[in-house]
Amino acid sequence: MKDVRITTGNGDAVTVPAAAVENLKSSLRGALLLPGDEGYDKSRTVWNAMIDRRPALVAECAGVADVCSAVAFAREHKLLTAVKGGGHNIAGNAVCDDGLLIDLSGMRAVMVDPIARRAHVEPGATLGDFDCETQAFGLATPVGINSTTGIAGLTLGGGFGWLSRKYGMTVDNLTAADVVTADGRLLRASDKENADLFWAIRGGGGNFGIVTRFEFKLHPVGPELLSGLIVFSMKEAVSALKKYREYVKKLGEETSVWTVLRKAPPLPFLPPQVHGTDIIAFALCHSGNAEEGRKEIEPVRHFGTVLGEHVGVQPFRAWQAAFDPLLTPGARNYWKSHNFVDLSGEAINVAVKYASTIPSPQCEIFFGLIGGATTRPAPDATAYSHRNAIYVLNVHGRWESASEDSKCIEWSRAFFRESAPYATGGVYVNFLTDDESDRIKAAYGPGYERLVATKKKYDPENLFRMNQNIRPGA
Ligand SMILES: Cc1cc2nc3c(=O)[nH]c(=O)nc-3n(C[C@H](O)[C@H](O)[C@H](O)COP(=O)(O)OP(=O)(O)OC[C@H]3O[C@@H](n4cnc5c(N)ncnc54)[C@H](O)[C@@H]3O)c2cc1C
């Protein structure tokens, strides 16, 4: 082991003596990696290929003790510190240049208590890990729509998916968490213990410490349910979206229908002549009785002339992974997002205009539908505050080659600017890119000052700053 040059939180470079590095290494059950070591590149790689950062040290944590050791080391040397769960966050804050990366992705255990309907989840678990273990008992809680996403980052920002209209945001189903705070303590956060911390981690991101265990309540779901896709031509998108917004107003909470505008992927149920053309797809899922579900989704089939339909009863786990092939890691991605309470005619026109000029085949615009149970808690019940949001719009710029960066980024930004007048001004913190620090307050919403106070209490030196950062002094 040799001395390591490493960056501090305020950007200075310091030398950490070899003995201190050796000491950390020997205290860990997992590996301590330096550039060039086997596994280093895997640890530093995140979902969005636009992010290519090289930490000076990687602590691959195998358990809570490793997290405590890594946090103590970071605090002692005042290091720039990044925390990686599933590595999916678009902004890429899960990895830093020249600092310490605390990599939790090896801690993937999910333990289910089917009697109490509780899941205890380690912070490296993916949504696929979670669904695998919970669905074995016909149980689930609302999480996102791509099985390789990490449960940790998703939960800490709020979290929503197909089940949210019925069971709320992911944070509404979090019953407790274990958190290693900047001072090295392991705290239990729940309604009864450290309630201020519990409030803050339900939407305030990774600002307050490292969560080493999440405890979720679970609901009976599936294990098979009605789900699938109904596809129309983009030429019918304006009228389809107008019918959709009226349909949504009367929609039961067991049904969720999301909208995607993009170029048709070569899906086997679409005729070959449709592949690559501009389409609008309605992705739907009904978590209750399948026959009831068929009745409830029937209007969607009349939003226009169906180009292709693939709807049926299938395992919930399969539906939870259905979009994985379109969301593989390693592509370049740039997102823009905001929330809507309704889809005005103007908002629809702008969306269809930009969806008809997609700059690269994998770019898409989607409206994720929430509402129902997500709107019932008071805005200050959790740090996630956007309880008025019904649609979460995401302009999903996605492409393969750096040569396409500027046209795809400009397309995403232009659409965002033109649609902003019809949106709420609020934004889901987990969809912010790394150039949107001006939107952080809007993302945290009215609870921002309370989050600052909580940050001052639990992380006064801002050790955990590689996130959508709440500055303790702000
Ligand atoms: C393809 C794709 C699909 C998505 N779909 C959805 C969706 O359907 N619904 C939805 O709600 N979101 C969705 N998201 C957004 C997702 O919620 C965020 O990207 C989330 O941050 C991912 O969590 P992660 O653990 O994988 O991320 P990471 O990048 O590992 O972590 C994100 C941040 O969280 C913090 N963090 C991570 N782990 C911990 C921890 N244990 N303790 C403290 N802080 C921690 C760190 O600050 C880190 O920078 C999607 C993202 C992608 C890329």
Side-chain angles (χ1 to χ4, degrees):
M1 194 57 71
K2 52 184 189 207
D3 294 354
V4 171
R5 282 294 276 176
I6 189 162
T7 295
T8 64
N10 61 20
D12 298 333
V14 292
T15 301
V16 176
V21 180
E22 187 58 50
N23 205 19
L24 172 63
K25 188 179 166 112
S26 58
S27 76
L28 296 178
R29 194 150 62 89
L32 184 69
L33 305 175
L34 285 98
D37 284 347
E38 196 184 334
Y40 170 85
D41 283 329
K42 183 165 178 277
S43 262
R44 74 178 187 88
T45 301
V46 293
W47 181 82
N48 183 3
M50 301 278 281
I51 310 295
D52 181 19
R53 297 187 184 141
R54 305 186 144 268
L57 279 175
V58 177
E60 284 192 331
C61 295
V64 179
D66 284 0
V67 176
C68 292
S69 299
V71 167
F73 182 82
R75 184 181 63 247
E76 185 186 342
H77 300 284
K78 300 185 175 7
L79 301 181
L80 177 66
T81 303
V83 179
K84 180 180 170 191
H88 252 236
N89 197 277
I90 185 75
N93 285 319
V95 60
C96 56
D97 268 328
D98 305 318
L100 171 69
L101 167 57
I102 300 180
D103 183 359
L104 308 168
S105 61
M107 296 171 64
R108 289 175 60 167
V110 178
M111 281 149 293
V112 176
D113 178 342
I115 308 294
R117 291 190 179 159
R118 286 287 187 276
H120 301 261
V121 184
E122 283 194 318
T126 62
L127 307 188
D129 296 334
F130 182 81
D131 288 332
C132 175
E133 296 297 330
T134 54
Q135 278 289 280
F137 304 98
L139 298 170
T141 219
V143 293
I145 60 138
N146 174 215
S147 78
T148 59
T149 305
I151 197 105
L154 177 129
T155 303
L156 293 167
F160 64 90
W162 301 114
L163 304 177
S164 288
R165 289 171 53 72
K166 171 93 170 143
Y167 297 115
M169 302 291 294
T170 308
V171 284
D172 299 333
N173 294 280
L174 186 70
T175 47
D178 292 344
V179 188
V180 176
T181 46
D183 60 7
R185 288 181 299 161
L186 176 68
L187 299 181
R188 185 127 217 267
S190 70
D191 275 338
K192 296 199 182 66
E193 293 168 81
N194 302 299
D196 54 351
L197 180 61
F198 187 51
W199 175 84
I201 62 168
R202 286 177 291 162
N207 274 285
F208 309 95
I210 299 184
V211 177
T212 53
R213 185 181 65 93
F214 296 87
E215 182 189 302
F216 294 102
K217 65 180 166 203
L218 302 171
H219 313 274
V221 173
E224 297 205 319
L225 46 64
L226 186 75
S227 51
L229 284 169
I230 303 178
V231 178
F232 304 92
S233 164
M234 186 77 77
K235 293 188 187 102
E236 298 196 274
V238 169
S239 85
L241 282 169
K242 286 181 179 164
K243 288 176 188 157
Y244 170 65
R245 78 174 171 206
E246 299 310 315
Y247 165 78
V248 157
K249 287 176 186 156
K250 296 183 206 129
L251 194 59
E253 293 180 358
E254 288 187 322
T255 307
S256 200
V257 182
W258 292 23
T259 309
V260 188
L261 299 105
R262 58 168 295 137
K263 294 210 177 285
L267 297 168
F269 71 91
L270 289 176
Q273 66 273 22
V274 171
H275 298 173
T277 64
D278 294 337
I279 53 143
I280 177 166
F282 292 91
L284 43 92
C285 174
H286 179 85
S287 59
N289 172 280
E291 282 321 302
E292 291 301 313
R294 282 188 205 282
K295 285 184 211 146
E296 196 150 55
I297 64 155
E298 181 59 22
V300 179
R301 303 179 64 239
H302 304 282
F303 286 175
T305 307
V306 175
L307 293 181
E309 176 178 329
H310 188 69
V311 177
V313 174
Q314 61 175 319
F316 179 55
R317 273 183 73 196
W319 180 240
Q320 284 284 83
F323 294 90
D324 288 4
L326 297 177
L327 297 168
T328 49
R332 302 174 79 77
N333 289 269
Y334 183 84
W335 292 3
K336 280 292 205 183
S337 175
H338 37 208
N339 294 336
F340 290 80
V341 290
D342 198 3
L343 295 180
S344 66
E346 291 93 336
I348 289 173
N349 288 340
V350 177
V352 174
K353 174 179 143 189
Y354 278 87
S356 306
T357 56
I358 276 172
S360 189
Q362 296 184 55
C363 292
E364 64 183 23
I365 292 171
F366 84 71
F367 292 94
L369 179 69
I370 47 176
T374 69
T375 60
R376 281 200 276 279
D380 63 355
T382 58
Y384 171 83
S385 63
H386 304 287
R387 300 300 182 171
N388 63 342
I390 303 297
Y391 302 95
V392 181
L393 165 80
N394 196 6
V395 191
H396 183 181
R398 179 181 164 94
W399 61 99
E400 296 295 333
S401 155
S403 63
E404 293 190 284
D405 283 5
S406 59
K407 74 173 180 188
C408 293
I409 291 172
E410 191 35 51
W411 172 80
S412 308
R413 287 180 179 159
F415 174 48
F416 169 77
R417 279 193 301 272
E418 251 186 83
S419 55
Y422 317 112
T424 64
V427 56
Y428 179 36
V429 70
N430 274 348
F431 285 173
L432 288 182
T433 46
D434 68 345
D435 59 359
E436 297 193 297
S437 51
D438 56 324
R439 300 184 77 205
I440 289 179
K441 273 194 181 176
Y444 291 124
Y448 186 73
E449 294 309 324
R450 191 170 161 192
L451 285 168
V452 172
T454 315
K455 178 78 173 175
K456 272 184 188 152
K457 178 173 169 188
Y458 288 101
D459 185 17
E461 304 297 326
N462 205 7
L463 180 67
F464 303 111
R465 66 178 68 202
M466 288 295 299
N467 43 47
Q468 300 301 348
N469 195 225
I470 297 159
R471 293 207 186 101

